[in-house]
Amino acid sequence: MPLLTRSNSSNMNITRFKSGPIAAVAALSILLSCSKNFTSPQQSSSSNLTTTAVTPAVAATSSYQLIWSDEFNTDGGFDTSKWSFCERGTPAWTKYLTENPAYAYVGSGNLKLRMDNSVITGDSIAYHSGGVKTSGKFNFLYGKVEVRAKFNQGQGSWPAIWMMPDNPVAYGGWPNSGEIDIMEHVNFGSVVYQTVHNATVTSSSGGSSASHAASYNASDYNIYTLVWSPASLQFYVNNVLQYTYSKPAGATYLNWPYDQPFYIILNQSGGAGWPGAITDSNLPFTMDVDYVRVYKNSLLTNGGFETGALSPWTTWGTVSQLVSTDARTGSYAIREQGTGETSIEQSITGLEANTTYRFGGFGKVDTAGQSVLLGVKNYGGSAVDANITSTTYQHNAVLFTTGASNTSATLYYYKPLSGTVFGDDFYLEKMQ
């Protein structure tokens, strides 16, 4: 049953056998020989800052914020900045995978995944099937993922929506590092399965005792949702809670390896393993995915700038303003530009003392060789930040733990030198 032998590289094979439902932060080094002495946010005092907007600290209030999505609105090949093909391998679900674009493409507002017995020149296996993954392109830790999809039934069919750890051996080989199955269906079943795998609940044969069978509408689209927090994995079908796997008391990686980033997999497989042999007259098998959306339960206000105003962020330095030309998602992003230092900051109150949080987001620079820092200060410890140097939107994040008497923090997005940088989809989440 599921065995994972894959490196963190996106071009390595996932090896996973399923038999049934029971089934960093980079440091920034800058010479100080410019016309103005370099002063990072962690070194600056408030007397050095030129604030263009004075806004009181914002109380931490959780609300879901979209940080990543694919609406599949452009016909043709899928977006290769977000997805890559799942590779063929020895596990049952990978046995017939192909990278032929006829089996994973976008049409009529859907990602279309297909399995059939057509003949492909140069690839003479009995069947071909399609699958895509975000490995090496997008992963996340905690939040909500929502997938709207429909699929047909047939003997030998096995569509799935699921997640695997970005570091496949963080706690050892499968199942030690975990697996989260948001939806699986086989054959003509009247239910879908939502399943958790780890070293404690998964048997030597590959089944899992942490699985739930849920009713679904076989003739239409359904919404499959995972809400993932530091305390639980909650599975929904059509916005109705179906199953909760809670973090056990005194948990270790053996029963809770779900404290690391995971990536998303969508595939239409079949013909081996759990569903058994295919009845050819039932072909083709298809799964149409209307959208995939990932949200963060963020404590940050206006992290995506979709209010159309910068507030409650404050600014100092040279020019910072909202723009609509370089938004990563939605309508707006922040642009910092000019010949000197620039930063936007937001002070958050109402945090918990002695508690770990994660501040993350997406940024890019206008020209190679530039950089921007995403970081946190004034939380009871030394300032921490992550360097972003990509000319396309790149995700980065930092962890910080509030002090014994600290219930606030200041978040910043800081351009230390001349140039132009952009930022979008910032979030702040509690990690424990």
Side-chain angles (χ1 to χ4, degrees):
M1 165 65 203
L3 165 67
L4 186 68
T5 55
R6 183 184 66 85
S7 79
N8 202 24
S9 170
S10 62
N11 62 1
M12 298 297 288
N13 284 335
I14 303 171
T15 306
R16 168 183 177 268
F17 301 90
K18 183 175 287 297
S19 59
I22 308 215
V25 175
L28 177 65
S29 174
I30 299 178
L31 295 177
L32 305 182
S33 57
C34 50
S35 58
K36 176 181 178 184
N37 288 337
F38 171 72
T39 309
S40 73
Q42 41 279 58
Q43 297 167 326
S44 297
S45 67
S46 58
S47 62
N48 292 330
L49 307 186
T50 302
T51 303
T52 58
V54 178
T55 304
V58 178
T61 304
S62 294
S63 61
Y64 278 112
Q65 173 184 318
L66 183 70
I67 65 159
W68 187 93
S69 68
D70 200 333
E71 303 295 322
F72 305 114
N73 287 333
T74 302
D75 288 358
F78 55 78
D79 186 343
T80 56
S81 72
K82 297 178 178 180
W83 306 94
S84 57
F85 284 104
C86 295
E87 302 93 346
R88 187 177 304 167
T90 54
W93 77 276
T94 68
K95 183 175 180 179
Y96 297 114
L97 286 171
T98 177
E99 296 188 17
N100 186 303
Y103 292 84
Y105 64 95
V106 178
S108 302
N110 291 278
L111 172 69
K112 293 183 173 292
L113 303 174
R114 180 181 178 90
M115 184 171 192
D116 64 26
N117 59 353
S118 297
V119 175
I120 296 180
T121 302
D123 189 13
S124 58
I125 58 174
Y127 303 98
H128 294 89
S129 66
V132 296
K133 60 182 180 177
T134 66
S135 176
K137 300 175 185 288
F138 173 75
N139 61 65
F140 71 105
L141 172 64
Y142 307 140
K144 178 171 71 170
V145 56
E146 183 178 275
V147 182
R148 185 173 185 262
K150 68 176 180 179
F151 48 84
N152 62 357
Q153 297 183 344
Q155 176 57 47
S157 177
W158 187 8
I161 300 165
W162 54 298
M163 296 169 56
M164 289 294 283
D166 194 59
N167 179 356
V169 293
Y171 297 118
W174 191 95
N176 289 25
S177 295
E179 174 183 328
I180 305 170
D181 298 329
I182 301 171
M183 187 286 296
E184 292 181 284
H185 180 268
V186 292
N187 301 329
F188 290 98
S190 61
V191 296
V192 295
Y193 297 93
Q194 299 177 299
T195 306
V196 168
H197 288 281
N198 58 54
T200 298
V201 301
T202 302
S203 67
S204 58
S205 62
S208 174
S209 59
S211 184
H212 177 75
S215 298
Y216 79 107
N217 185 345
S219 62
D220 204 349
Y221 288 92
N222 295 263
I223 299 173
Y224 302 101
T225 303
L226 169 73
V227 176
W228 177 17
S229 76
S232 67
L233 296 163
Q234 295 181 311
F235 297 86
Y236 294 75
V237 177
N238 297 323
N239 302 312
V240 177
L241 179 63
Q242 300 291 330
Y243 174 57
T244 299
Y245 179 79
S246 298
K247 182 179 181 179
T252 69
Y253 76 88
L254 295 173
N255 51 22
W256 187 261
Y258 312 108
D259 57 359
Q260 57 177 316
F262 276 58
Y263 64 90
I264 301 167
I265 306 170
L266 311 170
N267 63 276
Q268 171 62 67
S269 295
W274 179 12
I278 291 173
T279 298
D280 286 2
S281 61
N282 294 161
L283 292 169
F285 303 143
T286 61
M287 180 164 71
D288 286 9
V289 182
D290 182 26
Y291 60 75
V292 181
R293 297 171 182 165
V294 180
Y295 302 82
K296 283 290 188 180
N297 194 16
S298 180
L299 299 167
L300 180 61
T301 299
N302 197 23
F305 307 105
E306 293 308 299
T307 65
L310 192 57
S311 177
W313 295 94
T314 61
T315 70
W316 63 268
T318 52
V319 179
S320 297
Q321 62 186 131
L322 295 187
V323 294
S324 57
T325 55
D326 284 85
R328 179 181 167 274
T329 63
S331 300
Y332 297 100
I334 183 67
R335 181 180 67 194
E336 300 178 16
Q337 61 184 165
T339 57
E341 302 168 81
T342 308
S343 185
I344 63 168
E345 300 186 353
Q346 186 174 150
S347 180
I348 306 291
T349 63
L351 303 179
E352 298 178 26
N354 287 325
T355 300
T356 300
Y357 294 86
R358 186 180 196 229
F359 173 46
F362 297 80
K364 67 176 181 176
V365 300
D366 189 57
T367 304
Q370 297 176 341
S371 64
V372 61
L373 291 171
L374 176 151
V376 186
K377 61 182 180 178
N378 302 333
Y379 63 90
S382 299
V384 292
D385 46 43
N387 192 21
I388 295 174
T389 60
S390 174
T391 55
T392 60
Y393 271 113
Q394 170 190 355
H395 176 264
N396 218 329
V398 294
L399 292 173
F400 66 97
T401 301
T402 51
S405 59
N406 295 88
T407 58
S408 63
T410 302
L411 315 177
Y412 59 82
Y413 192 63
Y414 169 70
K415 178 181 72 67
L417 298 174
S418 298
T420 301
V421 302
F422 300 88
D424 202 358
D425 299 324
F426 299 130
Y427 60 88
L428 174 67
E429 58 187 343
K430 184 179 176 182
M431 300 299 289
Q432 61 189 50

